[in-house]
Amino acid sequence: MAGRADSTVLAGARVVLPTGTVENGRVIVEGTRIAGSAAEDARTLDLSGHWVVPGFVDMHNHGGGGASFTSGTVDEVLTGIRTHREHGTTTLVASTVTGEMDFLAHRAGVLSELVEQGDLAGIHFEGPFISPCRKGAHSEELLRDPDPAEVRKLMDAARGTAKMFTLATELPGGIDSVRLLAEHGVIAAIGHTDATYEQTVEAIDAGATVATHLFNAMPPLAHREPGPIAALLEDERITVELIDDGTHLHPAALELAYHHAGAHRVALITDAMDAAGFGDGLYQLGPLAVEVEDGVARLVEGGSIAGSTLTLDTAFHRAVTIDGIPVGDVVQSISANPARLLGVYDRVGSLEPGKDADLVVLDADFGLKGVMRKGEWIKEPQIG
């Protein structure tokens, strides 16, 4: 049963802290925050045999629960947010897809209100400033070069809640747009790009700091033309997004990214669309029709992968049990790193006194058992 934790001690679990994993650890919750000590009347919840990890932070997500962040009503967007919270994502950025500029500006206004009231952590504009050569599930006729004036229009429409823009920085206006975003503290992410290695290095030097779903929607790594992948992996200034759903990446590609970038430079994301946590069927991703079959989303026309149906609890489970990534590294990639990028690590992303009581309880096999957000059980673990 969901409800406010008030004064609660979560005891007996393996607790993953920034300094490492504590066996038979404790997390103390007072009201909405993690505390350093417990009240005398605190309730104790025995979580022996479980893991307690920070709430997940998803910086690239287009929807879920049957709802689209690009086109849904406020109530539908809230349904999508709630769906991902139930799967452990306690901090969420809403991503849009390519559309008409006026439509995207309007959506920015709608979504910014949800940021201001604390339901979202920000807005990510994926498109329309991307390459038609690597458009993926974006409408080609609506794509445009990254004109800094138009980037600024969307920033202004978002009223300070824009967190990230994905750009094909090799296009005219790309480098100037990166500089504009960097000057205003907004993440410039390189993605849906046909850039060369040299063009990618130029964009990084101009202030780009994120690779949008590395490997996907960009030229492959080649020995004479290393392209953007090599430039993004080798530069310590870049955090690489990875979609660990078993469809977007071969396990060897995921391992390559972790090996070369290191866990401190990986952000596990969902790139989820409406079907996440909802089911197979026909959907719309912006103006494009998408069919989801066996949990894989593809465009009806052309068959391109169209986002994912991933939730971050599944990504966590897969990263540990299938890919063999150490638990501490996964926690870093799924919570701490995106929180730092979004500028909210002072409040979320790790289990430390004073931070929001955002946490996930996992069983010994890394299955989701409980989710708490700001001291309130979204999903209360049923123990015993």
Side-chain angles (χ1 to χ4, degrees):
M1 182 176 70
R4 180 70 65 195
D6 293 324
S7 184
T8 302
V9 178
L10 309 180
R14 291 178 171 178
V15 179
V16 182
L17 303 175
T19 53
T21 299
V22 177
E23 301 285 343
N24 194 25
R26 303 196 315 164
V27 177
I28 302 165
V29 176
E30 289 285 348
T32 65
R33 297 187 180 276
I34 297 170
S37 60
E40 290 184 6
D41 61 347
R43 169 195 177 207
T44 297
L45 180 61
D46 184 2
L47 293 177
S48 299
H50 292 72
W51 294 81
V52 176
V53 300
F56 308 146
V57 180
D58 194 353
M59 56 188 281
H60 187 155
N61 187 315
H62 298 278
S68 167
F69 296 153
T70 298
S71 59
T73 65
V74 169
D75 284 345
E76 288 169 343
V77 172
L78 289 170
T79 294
I81 294 168
R82 186 164 55 251
T83 296
H84 285 284
R85 284 181 184 169
E86 290 169 353
H87 289 272
T89 298
T90 52
T91 301
L92 177 69
V93 170
S95 302
T96 62
V97 296
T98 294
E100 296 282 2
M101 284 294 297
D102 288 344
F103 173 78
L104 290 174
H106 171 72
R107 289 305 296 178
V110 172
L111 294 170
S112 66
E113 293 184 8
L114 295 175
V115 179
E116 289 160 1
Q117 67 189 36
D119 292 299
L120 291 170
I123 304 170
H124 163 219
F125 294 97
E126 188 179 24
F129 310 116
I130 61 176
S131 171
C133 301
R134 304 287 174 178
K135 64 183 185 297
H138 291 256
S139 180
E140 184 167 354
E141 59 267 24
L142 296 176
L143 300 182
R144 52 212 300 133
D145 291 339
D147 180 349
E150 293 194 324
V151 172
R152 183 61 186 261
K153 176 182 177 178
L154 293 183
M155 287 173 55
D156 290 344
R159 303 198 301 264
T161 67
K163 288 291 187 179
M164 183 163 68
F165 281 73
T166 292
L167 310 170
T169 54
E170 76 278 7
L171 296 176
I175 297 300
D176 287 340
S177 294
V178 169
R179 292 195 181 103
L180 172 71
L181 292 167
E183 287 169 5
H184 287 83
V186 179
I187 297 167
I190 301 171
H192 287 276
T193 175
D194 205 40
T196 63
Y197 174 90
E198 291 76 15
Q199 289 170 326
T200 305
V201 169
E202 182 184 10
I204 297 169
D205 287 341
T209 55
V210 167
T212 293
H213 44 55
L214 186 74
F215 299 109
N216 299 115
M218 60 182 63
L221 184 66
H223 63 296
R224 292 194 185 94
E225 296 180 3
I229 294 172
L232 294 164
L233 279 177
E234 73 183 9
D235 199 303
E236 283 290 322
R237 294 171 289 182
I238 292 292
T239 298
V240 297
E241 294 182 346
L242 298 175
I243 309 170
D244 192 8
D245 63 350
T247 298
H248 280 79
L249 296 176
H250 190 283
L254 185 105
E255 182 181 359
L256 179 74
Y258 265 97
H259 177 75
H260 284 279
H264 67 289
R265 287 180 47 218
V266 172
L268 292 176
I269 61 162
T270 60
D271 194 16
M273 46 80 71
D274 312 16
F278 200 67
D280 290 354
L282 291 173
Y283 296 86
Q284 287 292 127
L285 188 61
L288 302 178
V290 175
E291 182 174 13
V292 178
E293 185 175 351
D294 295 329
V296 178
R298 293 187 181 275
L299 291 182
V300 172
E301 294 289 333
S304 291
I305 295 176
S308 83
T309 62
L310 186 63
T311 52
L312 282 181
D313 59 328
T314 299
F316 193 111
H317 184 272
R318 181 180 177 86
V320 175
T321 64
I322 296 176
D323 303 312
I325 308 297
V327 174
D329 288 352
V330 177
V331 167
Q332 195 172 3
S333 302
I334 212 166
S335 299
N337 296 344
R340 286 193 184 95
L341 281 167
L342 296 171
V344 295
Y345 188 67
D346 60 325
R347 304 195 308 273
V348 301
S350 66
L351 301 176
E352 296 177 88
K355 291 194 174 186
D356 289 349
D358 290 5
L359 57 88
V360 174
V361 179
L362 305 169
D363 65 20
D365 298 319
F366 302 99
L368 186 84
K369 290 299 178 182
V371 181
M372 178 184 285
R373 182 176 187 269
K374 294 187 177 180
E376 182 174 348
W377 287 113
I378 304 298
K379 176 184 176 69
E380 187 164 2
Q382 302 302 308
I383 305 299

